[in-house]
Amino acid sequence: GAVVSQHPSWVICKSGTSVKIECRSLDFQATTMFWYRQFPKQSLMLMATSNEGSKATYEQGVEKDKFLINHASLTLSTLTVTSAHPEDSSFYICSARATGENIQYFGAGTRLSVL
Amino acid sequence: SQQGEEDPQALSIQEGENATMNCSYKTSINNLQWYRQNSGRGLVHLILIRSNEREKHSGRLRVTLDTSKKSSSLLITASRAADTASYFCATVRGSNYKLTFGKGTLLTVNP
């Protein structure tokens, strides 16, 4: 099956620093990539949708200046959490959709802990 | 926003038993999908059922969809300890491919 690689899997940072998370589709071209946030024992909340070469579409309530998304190629999307604060600590998961497919392939997630 | 509601929130069964999880949603859909998540990991797609389909099978999985009741069920037959995970339903509306996830069911299969 299609593989999506997400790095890093775990990151600890100091408050005020920025953290970049990468999401790569390894064996297919991802027309669309999605970024989710998941709190402990809760469901996934869609943060934004990114299409290659265009600006990301953010869900209501998600600060686009706080969570910068870049989808520079058909195989790579990045999420940068800028000026991270403890309340940004969470599990972030990306997914990718190939052209013509209805399902999403998920990365393994990144656990962010902001001290 | 969360559209789906799964029940039960948690289910504990013995190996070999069947596990049934239900999902309800609020709006019209294009399709409904079930995903599995092992603790602290990403999600794995299990099965997709379109709005014009009523039942679908994949190995030990059986999914039903009742659009009049806006509900779906996932049945896992002859469960195994390795089936222990959280199971989420997710709906797709329109053609934007966005998934709206339910709250999930935590399934524990005891050996």
Side-chain angles (χ1 to χ4, degrees), chain A residues 37-44 91-93 106-109 111, chain B residues 34-46 83-88 101 103-107:
Chain A
R37 183 172 179 174
Q38 185 179 32
F39 291 102
K41 298 184 179 180
Q42 293 191 26
S43 189
L44 281 76
F91 192 57
Y92 294 87
I93 309 176
F106 284 79
R111 187 160 304 284
Chain B
W34 284 89
Y35 286 82
R36 164 199 168 121
Q37 182 182 33
N38 285 70
S39 180
R41 305 288 293 173
L43 278 72
V44 175
H45 178 263
L46 295 176
D83 294 330
T84 295
S86 290
Y87 292 82
F88 294 92
F101 283 90
K103 294 181 179 178
T105 294
L106 175 59
L107 173 66

Side-chain angles (χ1 to χ4, degrees), chain B residues 87-103:
Chain B
Y87 292 82
F88 294 92
C89 71
T91 55
V92 175
R93 297 173 61 192
S95 58
N96 60 13
Y97 303 104
K98 285 171 35 173
L99 293 171
T100 301
F101 283 90
K103 294 181 179 178

Side-chain angles (χ1 to χ4, degrees), chain A residues 32-111:
Chain A
T32 310
M33 286 186 167
F34 304 86
W35 288 95
Y36 298 85
R37 183 172 179 174
Q38 185 179 32
F39 291 102
K41 298 184 179 180
Q42 293 191 26
S43 189
L44 281 76
M45 296 292 294
L46 179 64
M47 298 174 66
T49 303
S50 75
N51 292 293
E52 184 264 340
S54 61
K55 289 184 179 180
T57 303
Y58 290 81
E59 295 299 301
Q60 192 173 8
V62 177
E63 299 176 58
K64 62 180 180 181
D65 294 330
K66 172 76 171 175
F67 299 99
L68 299 179
I69 292 172
N70 183 282
H71 192 161
S73 76
L74 282 171
T75 59
L76 174 64
S77 176
T78 60
L79 167 68
T80 301
V81 183
T82 62
S83 187
H85 291 283
E87 57 266 29
D88 298 323
S89 298
S90 190
F91 192 57
Y92 294 87
I93 309 176
C94 72
S95 70
R97 184 188 72 85
T99 304
E101 291 203 29
N102 282 317
I103 67 176
Q104 295 179 22
Y105 301 97
F106 284 79
T110 297
R111 187 160 304 284

